[in-house]
Amino acid sequence: MQGNQPHPATPLTDAVFLVKRGGKKRGNYNCGRCGLPKKGHKCPYTGAENGNPDRDDDVSAATPTAGNSSGGATVLTPNSVVRPMPPARRRALSFDDVSAAESVEEFETEGFDLDDGSDLERSGKLPMNCLWEVFKRLPPTALSSAAAVCRGWRETAKRMWRAAEELRLRVPAKAQIGLIASLLQKCPALLRLSLRFESDVDATILACIAFSCPNLHSLEIYTSDSSVNWIAGDELSRFISDKRCLSNLKMEGCCYLGGFVFSSTSLSTLWLSDLHSLTRMVFNCPNLREISLNFSRQENDNTDLVTAMDSLGRSCPKLQNIHISSMKLSHDAVLALSAANLRGLRMLSLVLGTDITDASVAAITSSFLKLDLLDLSGSSISDSGIGMICNVFPDTLSKLLLALCPNITSSGIQFAAAQLPRLELMDCGMTIPENNNNNNNNNNSEQLHHIFQKLIIKHNRLKRLSLWGCSGLDALYLNCPHLTDLNLNSCKNLNPGTVMLQCPNLESVHTLDCDNKLIEAIQNQVDNSFPTTSDSKRFPDGSKRVRVLPYICSLEVVTGKKKRAL
């Protein structure tokens, strides 16, 4: 026997046979035959009318009579009603804006099983593609909390962790290394990792990352003021050599490295800060394109930068961006770097090198001919060095930073602005400090003439100008139509009557520690209807800035007042 078979005259669909094939699913509150909710529901395709709802072969709706069986005609009973075939329904929620074929294809792409719709029910009857988009925007802590809601959300969170390519974490002071390890093991496809530690960090975290993230491309480790980085140089060197896919490494608090030998063919970006007293620095990174080394400002630092610059220039021929900040920078270190064949160098930043002079500028201009950014802040160059810079880089240089250079005068700044037409950013902070002779009792007009200086800049492309700490200025004239940011912090001796700003696109003026009359004069020039000084806004960095409304056209200064042509 083949078991009970449905009568050939009964109008049944394939949904009837799907019920017993898959079995009843626990927690399914929809009818397995027609898809409608079970509560208060009477399915037209069951034997409920004859008191036997469990039979699938009920034929009381239409049966042939004995007298007419040979003719094939059917006789309907009085209580039977021929019900029309219901339209094809989904087994869960229906959405009018998404077709069934599109939903199935999207869900199968994400790896969800849609055989019986149980995934939709486990996720709170929310389509998995929608849930995926929501979870993708959650931070790690919120995603971990969402995984504890239900089984569907937990499975979606697991898939999210496995598919994650970038992760940014703040590690609290009381966090254990095991918690970080368990979290990283959830992300086998992780490519970019950023960790900010509020507690001490050692080489254990490097071993954990090396084991859990085999395909890591970028690693960033930041420390707080209260945390200490105990990673040694040989441990970091071993990590770099073992991670063959690592291309970006940024690390703070590297005061205990001692020395290192970096060897990697994939590393392209290297940032290390808080370095101190390195016994050796060896770079064997042929594809390195950007390097930033910030040394601590301690007088007992005995790092040999001359040897380090020589190794860097010879072993990394593809370098494009170099930033070195150290009080040990000298003319010999610049010569060692200039001797290398770094023809592709675009950015050179040598900061706090008081022994860098005009002779160092001559070596730089003869070796690097395509610089876009030059930062010699804290050096001892003079106006002659600025002249050499202008002669070599008139067509390439767009950013010039010469802060904390006491040998530069306003004439050198004006010459740079006139000879560098592509200049967009210029930082001349503390280059024109107030002369100490200003404190003498003899304050005649002839002495004041030698103390204070005037600055006149006219430039068509300059966007940002910083004159912070230039207390030796008493007059300022700017004609820069594209200037948006002007820093005049601590310019105490600027005379409000000798400040003229023809900058129609100016957005903010930094006026910390400036006289209120000067602030009022600047406000009157940019917009006569602007609020008084009491409404000036203080920003998080402590500076008080004058908010400037956008201009419709250029400015015309007539008798010290601004006139707008509408």
Side-chain angles (χ1 to χ4, degrees), residues 89-107:
R89 296 183 176 89
R90 300 185 191 178
R91 292 176 176 264
L93 299 178
S94 297
F95 299 90
D96 297 333
D97 55 342
V98 181
S99 63
E102 293 176 352
S103 298
V104 171
E105 183 179 357
E106 291 176 356
F107 283 20

Side-chain angles (χ1 to χ4, degrees), residues 395-415:
D395 298 327
T396 61
L397 199 64
S398 64
K399 301 175 183 64
L400 179 62
L401 296 93
L402 302 174
L404 298 171
C405 297
N407 297 330
I408 293 178
T409 64
S410 59
S411 300
I413 299 175
Q414 292 177 176
F415 185 78

Side-chain angles (χ1 to χ4, degrees), residues 155-191:
E155 293 177 356
T156 306
K158 289 181 180 179
R159 295 184 179 98
M160 182 64 64
W161 286 114
R162 289 195 296 266
E165 296 183 353
E166 183 176 0
L167 184 61
R168 294 186 295 270
L169 292 176
R170 181 183 62 85
V171 183
K174 298 181 179 180
Q176 300 294 330
I177 190 64
L179 177 63
I180 303 175
S182 62
L183 188 60
L184 294 180
Q185 289 177 1
K186 298 179 181 180
C187 311
L190 197 63
L191 300 179

Side-chain angles (χ1 to χ4, degrees), residues 316-331:
C316 308
K318 296 183 179 180
L319 272 174
Q320 296 181 354
N321 302 332
I322 297 178
H323 171 75
I324 308 293
S325 176
S326 174
M327 299 177 66
K328 294 295 182 179
L329 278 172
S330 61
H331 176 62

Side-chain angles (χ1 to χ4, degrees), residues 187-209:
C187 311
L190 197 63
L191 300 179
R192 296 175 294 275
L193 176 62
S194 178
L195 300 174
R196 183 173 296 275
F197 287 90
E198 296 180 355
S199 60
D200 294 353
V201 56
D202 54 17
T204 308
I205 188 64
L206 296 181
C208 178
I209 295 173

Side-chain angles (χ1 to χ4, degrees), residues 65-85:
T65 59
N68 297 331
S69 61
S70 60
T74 59
V75 178
L76 301 179
T77 60
N79 294 330
S80 64
V81 179
V82 179
R83 295 176 175 83
M85 292 289 291

Side-chain angles (χ1 to χ4, degrees), residues 31 33 75 95 116 124 127 139 218 299 329 388 491 551 563:
C31 180
R33 295 173 174 82
V75 178
F95 299 90
D116 56 0
S218 175
E299 297 180 356
L329 278 172
M388 288 185 283
C491 292
Y551 280 74
K563 177 181 178 181

